[in-house]
Amino acid sequence: MKQIKYFYLIILAAMTISCQKVLDTSPTDFIDPNAFYKTPEQLQSALNGVYNALGTIEVYGNNYLYMFNTNTDESYGKIVELTPSYQYDAADAKNEQFWKGLYAGIQRANLLLSKVDNVEMDQTAKNVIKGQALFLRGFQYFMLVSNYGDVPLILTPTASVTEVNIARTPMKTVYAQITKDMIDAETLLQTQTATALGMGGKVTRTAVQGMLARVYLYMAGFPLNDTEKYNDALFWADKVVHPTGNAPEHALNPDYRDIFLKYAKEQYDVKESMWELEFWGNNTGGVNFGNTYTGRFCGITCNDANKGFSSGSINATRKLYNSYQLNPLSTATPNKASFDWRRDWNCANYTWGSGATAVKTNVTNTWLMNAGKWRREYEIVEPKDKNYTSQNFAFLRYSDVLLMLAEAENEVNGPANAYQYVNMVRKRAYGILYGNVVKHITVTKGGTGYTTVPTVTINGGGGNGATAEATISAGAVTGIIITLPGTLTTAGLYYTTAPTVTITGGGGSGATATATITQSTDADLSASEISSKTALLDAIKEERSRELCFEGLRRNDLIRWGKFVEDMKAFLTYANANSGTATNITTAATKVSSRNIFMPIPIHDIQLNNLLLQNPGY
């Protein structure tokens, strides 16, 4: 990805943009306002500190994603822990750390915003700093209000440690401030094109627009149920996808897997990954800011440090695995192949074994497949630290905006113009965003005499890039597995007719096979799925899980749709009926109740703040 340590120092328009991850001034937990905030460089350092608050282990570096969002209907923790299993209480240490971490970031933003207008500097550069600070304050309040409900709303720097008695502000008021901060930020920030950054760690105008769509969808849903806000969600999502007078800033990466390969390889894709949280380093000298979620906990089990250690602590559920469309012609056993290339990336069908040296080991039990989105074997930072990875985490991807646009459009105007955006996401998932690829290869004759696996060659058909591997048994070719369906670029090297499949080598002869290519409609939602607002919403709910699993969105999605507890109990029924009876699979679904719609206000803060009241059930 990027060689960036945090953010480019953007102060003057004429300043040269570096391609290195360099944090010029390390943020500190305490800054004397009278001695700081006097120069553009100090403002930038302070802004880095606001961003830094989101990446700490207490917030997105681990706790929020792993401890509070692991157990849903799409994933579960391999180890039963009280915190991720919805059994936490107001004294839970990680819950307190998450709460405090967000308020620490808000305090930093408030300090910066109170001083930014006093510094003499280029006005455009000042606006960019101010806009980022406003957005980040709004985003951190969004994290608080969506997880805790009513929260204290503090918009000025806390001047004294004795200023502790602050009542909880109603959700509606907090949301109003969030949208104000973000809308104000949108007018101050620039687009990716204008900044010419080519990196996703800095908040830009379109990232704000996309996040506003998310905020308004949350307001439209449970518990506020302000359905008028669907109009606002539609407005902001549409601004990203159909900007007035300009070409769109963003587009889908045609290969879903490549999104996550880029995070491992220190590369940016600002078309797809609209805003991501920066992590860097390997804890060996210099400045490091790694995380323990992407790849370490949420990764493929591995004890080999050279390959990349992962505890593989999060597994996909069979419900998620089975939600991807099967290829009915597949002869693979026990699990048929899927037309949807996301399945075998998100639900890892292998581990690296339990030994000190990595040995690829197949996994066929669909309850035991690790969450495979972030794969440490592709990391390029060496040597690899055991516990911390430099892989970035995406706060917002373009596919999410497309699905939010579909949801908002469906709620406001019905499915007629909404489903096209879901189909765009699905076409990418099937590898046919820009054209057709090889869909299936059927063995027509097994041949005889094969002692080793023969070579499969795919030629013609107007396309390029398809590869496949054969399987043999008793001297005959028994199946052919597609390893790459063809080119996934916009270069036009897609298949217009079925290519020729040739089988050579392996000591045998006589094996033949034929290829089938996809059709442009193969990935589209069915007629029944777009027949009504309710049907399309149900399809969007499932598509969000297939596309965005393990990205920290599912729990809050289920909550805002108003059926969190009901959906978790439905998953419990599903698990019990589908061999998912191990305790760690069902503990969370068994224990979840209406109190888990909100997290508990930390008891430490309630004891200090006489005006704080606890959420129900704690």
Side-chain angles (χ1 to χ4, degrees):
M1 218 181 244
K2 1 164 218 208
Q3 312 261 17
I4 298 185
K5 278 202 184 135
Y6 212 70
F7 288 110
Y8 302 168
L9 183 58
I10 308 249
I11 299 168
L12 302 175
M15 181 168 286
T16 300
I17 294 178
S18 167
C19 289
Q20 290 197 317
K21 261 185 174 180
V22 178
L23 178 59
D24 293 88
T25 307
S26 299
T28 59
D29 290 331
F30 175 78
I31 296 174
D32 181 358
N34 297 317
F36 208 71
Y37 305 101
K38 294 182 179 297
T39 68
E41 292 81 3
Q42 289 173 334
L43 287 183
Q44 184 64 42
S45 179
L47 179 63
N48 289 344
V50 185
Y51 278 105
N52 176 277
L54 286 170
T56 60
I57 295 299
E58 291 75 19
V59 189
Y60 271 95
N62 182 62
N63 287 4
Y64 181 65
L65 296 170
Y66 177 48
M67 304 309 298
F68 300 113
N69 284 282
T70 290
N71 284 289
T72 62
D73 59 348
E74 68 185 22
S75 64
Y76 69 93
K78 287 166 57 178
I79 301 172
V80 176
E81 297 183 63
L82 295 181
T83 300
S85 298
Y86 302 112
Q87 300 175 70
Y88 45 77
D89 57 24
D92 185 272
K94 290 182 173 59
N95 174 61
E96 180 182 338
Q97 291 165 1
F98 176 59
W99 168 279
K100 287 183 176 179
L102 290 171
Y103 272 111
I106 289 168
Q107 168 70 354
R108 293 177 184 183
N110 284 339
L111 274 168
L112 175 56
L113 290 167
S114 72
K115 302 293 183 181
V116 63
D117 288 329
N118 298 334
V119 178
E120 292 186 7
M121 60 182 293
D122 175 81
Q123 189 60 47
T124 299
K126 181 187 291 188
N127 286 345
V128 169
I129 291 175
K130 185 175 182 179
Q132 290 174 82
L134 280 168
F135 171 81
L136 292 170
R137 181 174 71 179
F139 179 75
Q140 289 175 99
Y141 269 120
F142 176 52
M143 295 300 300
L144 284 165
V145 76
S146 60
N147 286 289
Y148 294 97
D150 301 347
V151 294
L153 183 62
I154 306 168
L155 301 176
T156 57
T158 303
S160 169
V161 293
T162 63
E163 295 180 14
V164 294
N165 293 321
I166 305 172
R168 296 173 69 177
T169 304
M171 289 180 66
K172 189 172 183 179
T173 303
V174 179
Y175 269 114
Q177 183 63 46
I178 292 167
T179 55
K180 180 183 184 304
D181 277 355
M182 290 188 177
I183 291 170
D184 287 347
E186 194 259 355
T187 65
L188 297 171
L189 293 174
Q190 298 173 303
T191 63
Q192 276 285 352
T193 300
T195 58
L197 279 176
M199 50 83 74
K202 180 178 181 293
V203 176
T204 58
R205 186 179 299 161
T206 49
V208 177
Q209 293 166 353
M211 197 58 68
L212 273 164
R214 184 183 294 175
V215 170
Y216 279 116
L217 280 180
Y218 278 50
M219 295 174 73
F222 183 84
L224 282 184
N225 294 316
D226 186 355
T227 56
E228 287 297 315
K229 294 298 186 286
Y230 282 118
N231 291 284
D232 297 283
L234 176 59
F235 173 80
W236 288 106
D238 193 63
K239 285 195 78 168
V240 177
V241 179
H242 302 115
T244 303
N246 297 297
E249 290 279 319
H250 300 282
L252 294 171
N253 183 327
D255 187 342
Y256 180 80
R257 299 159 297 184
D258 188 53
I259 301 166
F260 304 96
L261 287 173
K262 280 183 164 56
Y263 296 138
K265 294 178 180 179
E266 305 288 303
Q267 298 170 359
Y268 287 110
D269 176 9
V270 296
K271 294 289 187 182
E272 168 85 32
S273 192
M274 297 173 62
W275 177 38
E276 53 194 66
L277 181 56
E278 296 276 5
F279 293 104
W280 64 86
N282 59 2
N283 286 1
T284 55
V287 178
N288 292 276
F289 193 62
N291 80 96
T292 60
Y293 181 75
T294 55
R296 195 284 187 207
F297 284 120
C298 191
I300 299 175
T301 302
C302 181
N303 287 315
D304 186 337
N306 293 321
K307 185 69 67 174
F309 175 84
S310 176
S311 60
S313 296
I314 301 174
N315 280 349
T317 65
R318 180 170 293 177
K319 180 177 183 291
L320 174 65
Y321 184 89
N322 286 345
S323 71
Y324 297 98
Q325 184 185 358
L326 292 178
N327 175 356
L329 300 176
S330 171
T331 58
T333 57
N335 303 315
K336 286 182 176 292
S338 174
F339 288 135
D340 193 327
W341 287 78
R342 295 174 299 188
R343 187 194 72 177
D344 293 340
W345 185 264
N346 293 336
C347 309
N349 53 17
Y350 66 91
T351 70
W352 290 108
S354 58
T357 301
V359 177
K360 200 168 190 177
T361 306
N362 291 337
V363 176
T364 58
N365 185 334
T366 53
W367 281 115
L368 301 179
M369 291 181 173
N370 292 153
K373 223 160 210 184
W374 295 277
R375 304 191 178 200
R376 297 205 66 189
E377 63 257 40
Y378 296 106
E379 290 177 9
I380 63 170
V381 174
E382 299 286 351
K384 296 174 183 178
D385 184 81
K386 177 179 180 180
N387 293 317
Y388 292 88
T389 83
S390 62
Q391 295 197 49
N392 282 9
F393 176 82
F395 282 125
L396 182 68
R397 294 197 288 110
Y398 185 60
S399 58
D400 188 2
V401 176
L402 288 172
L403 293 174
M404 290 191 290
L405 177 57
E407 185 175 347
E409 172 69 29
N410 183 51
E411 292 293 339
V412 174
N413 298 311
N417 292 316
Y419 70 85
Q420 62 178 307
Y421 304 112
V422 184
N423 285 346
M424 289 173 62
V425 175
R426 289 172 61 84
K427 285 181 187 295
R428 188 266 296 280
Y430 285 56
I432 59 174
L433 185 62
Y434 298 116
N436 295 317
V437 295
V438 176
K439 177 179 182 178
H440 183 73
I441 298 177
T442 302
V443 176
T444 51
K445 291 183 181 179
T448 59
Y450 292 96
T451 56
T452 59
V453 175
T455 299
V456 178
T457 306
I458 302 171
N459 289 312
N464 198 312
T467 58
E469 296 176 352
T471 58
I472 61 173
S473 178
V477 174
T478 55
I480 296 180
I481 300 169
I482 299 170
T483 50
L484 287 174
T487 182
L488 297 178
T489 70
T490 58
L493 300 177
Y494 285 82
Y495 294 93
T496 55
T497 60
T500 299
V501 179
T502 305
I503 302 172
T504 57
S509 63
T512 59
T514 59
T516 304
I517 63 171
T518 55
Q519 302 299 313
S520 61
T521 57
D522 278 355
D524 291 354
L525 294 171
S526 67
S528 63
E529 289 175 310
I530 63 175
S531 61
S532 67
K533 288 175 66 171
T534 300
L536 181 56
L537 178 59
D538 287 342
I540 291 170
K541 289 178 179 180
E542 293 304 303
E543 201 61 41
R544 287 187 64 82
S545 184
R546 285 188 283 263
E547 174 72 20
L548 303 166
C549 52
F550 323 130
E551 295 183 40
L553 297 171
R554 188 62 172 177
R555 179 176 63 89
N556 282 112
D557 272 349
L558 294 176
I559 290 170
R560 69 181 178 86
W561 288 323
K563 294 185 177 181
F564 172 58
V565 177
E566 180 181 333
D567 287 339
M568 289 298 291
K569 296 305 181 185
F571 170 69
L572 175 61
T573 301
Y574 173 92
N576 288 333
N578 288 274
S579 304
T581 54
T583 302
N584 52 335
I585 296 173
T586 58
T587 297
T590 302
K591 298 295 183 181
V592 72
S593 68
S594 59
R595 78 169 191 161
N596 299 116
I597 290 169
F598 291 126
M599 291 160 60
I601 307 298
I603 190 64
H604 177 267
D605 283 67
I606 287 180
Q607 291 170 342
L608 289 177
N609 184 346
N610 296 328
L611 298 181
L612 273 185
L613 300 176
Q614 186 56 271
N615 279 325
Y618 298 103

